Amino acid sequence: MENMQEIILNDHKNIKSFAKICDNLEFWMTRLPAPLRNLPIIHLSIPGSHNTTTYTINRYNDIGIDESKILQFFGQCFPFILKPIIFNWSINQHESINEQLNGGIRYLDLRIATKLNSDSIYFLHGLYGSEVSEPLQQINDWLSSHPFEIIILDFQHFYSFSEDHHRRLIGKIKNIFRWKLCPVYNRLDHITLQWLISQKYQILIIYRNIVAKNFQDLWPSGMWPTPWPDTTNSKELNEFLTETIKRRLPNLGFISQCLLTPNISYVMRHLNGNLDKDLSEKCRLASFPWINSNKPGPGGMNIVITDFVSHCDFLFSKTVIQRNATLLEDGNLTRP
C-alpha cells in the first residue's frame, strides 16, 4: 500500500507553478493566476473541512440530539463511560476555524442544534459543541482582514429546530455577515472569484432546509449536492467518489466527501479507539490518490472535504488547491 511519504512526493510532481501559492495557504485565492480567478468557482478545486466546528466539543458536554434515544438515555445513566467514547468518535477537526482558514480551507461544514429549555443555538456532532455566535463572528472577522478570499458556509443539518429557531439563526447570520452575503442565482456559471470580489461578496451560505426558499441570500441544498459515502471501506469510498462525480450536473456546485464513517458495530469493535487513530490514515491512503487522479473544470472535481485537515501541515489543502494547476496546463479555461 502506498504510504504517506509516497503520496506527498506524488502530490508535488508537476505542480511547480503552484508551489508559491501553497507556501501561503492563508491567501491562496488572492494569489491565484488571473485566468483561474475568472473561472466559475464551481470549476475550481476547493478544499473543505468536514464537521468544521467539532474542535469546540468537550468530552463531558451533553450527548447530542443527533444520537439515538437509547444512547441518550444510557448516556444520562452512565455519563462517565459513554461520553468519552462518543467524544472519541465525534471529533473530526482539532484546529480552530481561524487555523483552518489560514490553512487554506474555504468550505465549512456545520451541524446545528438546540437544547431543551434553552434559547441558544449550538454546534453538534455526537456531543454538543459551542454556541454558534462566536465562531460565526470569527469567520466574519477573518473575511474582513482577507478581502480577496471567499468562503462557502454549509449549514448541513438541523436538529430540534422550529420555525422560530430558523428565524433566529438566519437573523444572526444576516446580522453578522451583512453585505458580504452573495445572493442566490439560478445558475452558478457566472460566479467567479473576480466577480464576487468586485461585488464585495465574500460568503455563500448553503442552508439545507426548506426555509431557504424564502430568502434571497440562502442557497438551497439542490444547488450544492453533497453525496455521503457512508462506509468504512477504502475501496467502496473510491468507487463512490468516482461514480458520483461522473453524475455531476455541469451547472451546479458539487461536494466530494473523502470520508470513512464508523457505524455502531465498528465503534463497538474499537471501543478504545477514535476516528483519528482508526480511520483517518486509512482514509488518506485512499483519498489522496483519488484527488491526484481527478481534475477540476466543467463536470470535474469541485469542493473536496475530509476529516483532520491539518494533518502533515495541511497537505490536504495543498493537494486539492494544486489540482487547479491542471486547468492551466491543459488550457482548460473555457467558460460555459
Side-chain angles (χ1 to χ4, degrees), residues 71 143 230:
L71 201 56
L143 285 170
D230 191 15

Side-chain angles (χ1 to χ4, degrees), residues 256-275:
S256 296
Q257 299 194 30
C258 294
L259 316 170
L260 293 176
T261 306
N263 52 29
I264 292 295
S265 62
Y266 187 93
V267 172
M268 292 299 292
R269 296 194 306 271
H270 301 80
L271 284 178
N272 294 322
N274 59 58
L275 187 63

